[in-house]
Amino acid sequence: MPKTILLTGGAGYIGSHTALEMIRAGYEVVVADNLSNGSRESLNRVERLTGVRIRFYQADVRDARALEDIFIECDIGGVVHFAGLKAVGESVEKPLLYYRHNLDATLSLLEVMARRGVGTLIFSSSATVYDPACAPVYTEDAPLKPVNPYGWTKFMCERIIKDACAAEKGLSALLLRYFNPVGAHESGLIGEDPRGVPNNLMPYISQVAVGRREYLTVHGGDYPTPDGTGIRDYIHVSDLARGHVAALDFLLANPCVDEINLGTGRGCSVLEVVKAFERASGRPIPYRIGPRRSGDIAAFWADATKARKKLGWEARHDLSEMCADAWRWQSMNPGGYEL
Ligand code: NAD
Ligand code: UFG
């Protein structure tokens, strides 16, 4: 019998791509999402791509009673916890909202898992937990020191999960620290569909390319990097999704508690991304160099060794494929899922 895995926040960007890869790997997938930033249509499209029906519950993870009903009804055997708020700037403006939301969601999930005797958890953490003083290459044992409330919620959730694992023999968890997920499934049917003005680089560039925005503002051209623009470790979302399958396979066979970077181990600058996107789309991406964005650092990327050694996973797609797939998604769905 395949294990039934609950994806909280599975109707979002990373969750929908992970649902697809998990179904292809033979897992049965159940999604609980309150649709605050996700779309039911993303799962309809995963169903189209896989030919498999996904059990979907429009539910808030903070509602422990609703969550427990799902565990009972579906006989959940493990959880991938994506659900949460993720906008860095908004977290600076509304810190209490972020602490309340992200901590409550994780606490309520852990309580229900304990009550139902479910002992396998994969958690969506972030490279933003690391101390920027350790940049540019982050290894998992680098000191942690987030610089915004969103990052602190990830730090605190990691701590809470580790303490729960220490207290409960049957609970094991992998804390996956994502670098910069970009791109879309190669079919162009699912992708990133941000609401309002995109905060992140790749969706902003995609919207410039498709004519929804006039030009890109490059946040800073005077960093101590070869071309003066910020450097990040962009990772194709389908590689990231396969990283979750590898993590789940591993955790089910080897219960433990550990943190693992999911990145490529290579950094690219903003202008390298702009040029790669121009090549992939055949369209010019007008840009203007603006001031630095508050809270940004010059450069960071993953040491991706641990994921390779422990999970047998590594990223396959390069920047040109990330841009080509982001462009396919954007040009096939210029208004996202709704239009
Ligand atoms: P997303 O917003 O597309 O997906 C999150 C999903 O969770 C959405 O569908 C939303 O509707 C749902 N959700 C939010 N709060 C909920 C709640 N209380 N109950 C039920 N559903 C809820 O975001 P994403 O980019 O797919 O990110 C997934 C996870 O990965 C998040 O935890 C995020 O913090 C983390 N992460 C993302 C990035 C990134 O750059 N995208 C980087 C590092 C970590
Ligand atoms: N950038 C621009 N113009 C834009 C948007 C971004 O020049 O319009 C630049 C940024 O200054 C940075 C790079 O593009 O140098 C990447 O910025 P993103 O906003 O795409 O990504 P960040 O590295 O700032 O943050 C992302 C997620 C965080 C996560 C972090 C580490 O938004 O949630 O990666 O994983 F924590």
Side-chain angles (χ1 to χ4, degrees):
M1 281 286 285
K3 276 257 183 213
T4 303
I5 306 300
L6 175 67
L7 272 49
T8 74
Y13 173 46
I14 302 170
S16 53
H17 289 80
T18 303
L20 177 91
E21 297 298 334
M22 286 204 166
I23 292 169
R24 294 228 158 119
Y27 288 103
E28 197 167 308
V29 164
V30 174
V31 170
D33 196 302
N34 66 4
L35 299 184
S36 57
N37 200 42
S39 158
R40 181 67 181 90
E41 177 60 16
S42 68
L43 298 177
N44 295 339
R45 296 188 182 188
V46 173
E47 289 177 337
R48 236 167 90 189
L49 285 164
T50 57
V52 173
R53 202 180 72 80
I54 295 173
R55 270 181 290 177
F56 172 73
Y57 293 85
Q58 183 164 356
D60 196 300
V61 180
R62 294 168 296 169
D63 180 348
R65 189 170 291 181
L67 198 58
E68 190 156 3
D69 286 345
I70 299 170
F71 273 69
I72 295 169
E73 210 168 294
C74 301
D75 192 18
I76 297 301
V79 181
V80 187
H81 181 37
F82 297 104
L85 303 180
K86 65 158 188 176
V88 172
E90 188 185 44
S91 82
V92 176
E93 285 158 28
K94 302 176 184 168
L96 300 186
L97 173 73
Y98 270 66
Y99 286 115
R100 171 67 80 191
H101 190 118
N102 288 355
L103 270 63
D104 268 0
T106 301
L107 287 167
S108 129
L109 174 66
L110 287 168
E111 284 164 5
V112 172
M113 288 178 72
R115 280 207 291 276
R116 302 313 309 167
V118 175
T120 303
L121 174 63
I122 308 283
F123 176 65
S124 295
S125 190
S126 167
T128 194
V129 296
Y130 290 114
D131 183 346
C134 301
V137 191
Y138 292 140
T139 51
E140 287 83 352
D141 56 5
L144 306 185
K145 193 178 174 198
V147 294
N148 55 62
Y150 165 72
W152 280 111
T153 70
K154 292 296 180 192
F155 173 95
M156 290 177 189
C157 287
E158 286 198 2
R159 186 70 259 161
I160 291 168
I161 292 167
K162 284 184 182 176
D163 286 346
C165 289
E168 283 170 44
K169 275 203 185 65
L171 181 61
S172 61
L174 286 177
L175 314 170
L176 301 183
R177 294 179 180 154
Y178 312 155
F179 281 68
N180 287 56
V182 297
H185 185 256
E186 61 183 5
S187 63
L189 286 180
I190 56 172
E192 188 169 12
D193 184 15
R195 304 201 171 156
V197 182
N199 296 311
N200 299 115
L201 180 66
M202 189 71 92
Y204 203 103
I205 290 180
S206 306
Q207 293 193 4
V208 172
V210 84
R212 267 171 79 178
R213 314 212 172 261
E214 204 184 331
Y215 62 90
L216 169 76
T217 301
V218 176
H219 299 319
D222 59 352
Y223 282 109
T225 59
D227 65 18
T229 67
I231 291 180
R232 296 291 183 274
D233 184 341
Y234 297 96
I235 173 170
H236 194 296
V237 66
S238 294
D239 279 332
L240 190 72
R242 285 190 306 99
H244 290 73
V245 176
L248 186 59
D249 290 346
F250 179 84
L251 195 58
L252 287 167
N254 310 276
C256 64
V257 189
D258 211 351
E259 51 279 306
I260 299 187
N261 287 340
L262 292 184
T264 66
R266 286 176 299 278
C268 298
S269 75
V270 174
L271 291 183
E272 283 174 315
V273 177
V274 168
K275 295 299 160 210
F277 206 99
E278 286 182 330
R279 282 194 296 275
S281 64
R283 303 227 174 154
I285 309 292
Y287 68 84
R288 297 180 192 168
I289 306 276
R292 293 181 180 190
R293 185 171 65 177
S294 144
D296 271 357
I297 65 171
F300 64 82
W301 56 88
D303 181 327
T305 313
K306 188 168 173 183
R308 180 163 42 79
K309 288 197 172 151
K310 191 157 187 163
L311 306 180
W313 168 91
E314 60 187 331
R316 294 178 190 152
H317 298 292
D318 64 15
L319 183 62
S320 64
E321 293 166 306
M322 298 178 212
C323 292
D325 290 338
W327 174 239
R328 188 174 303 107
W329 153 254
Q330 184 68 64
S331 46
M332 283 170 64
N333 308 271
Y337 286 116
E338 303 308 330
L339 300 177

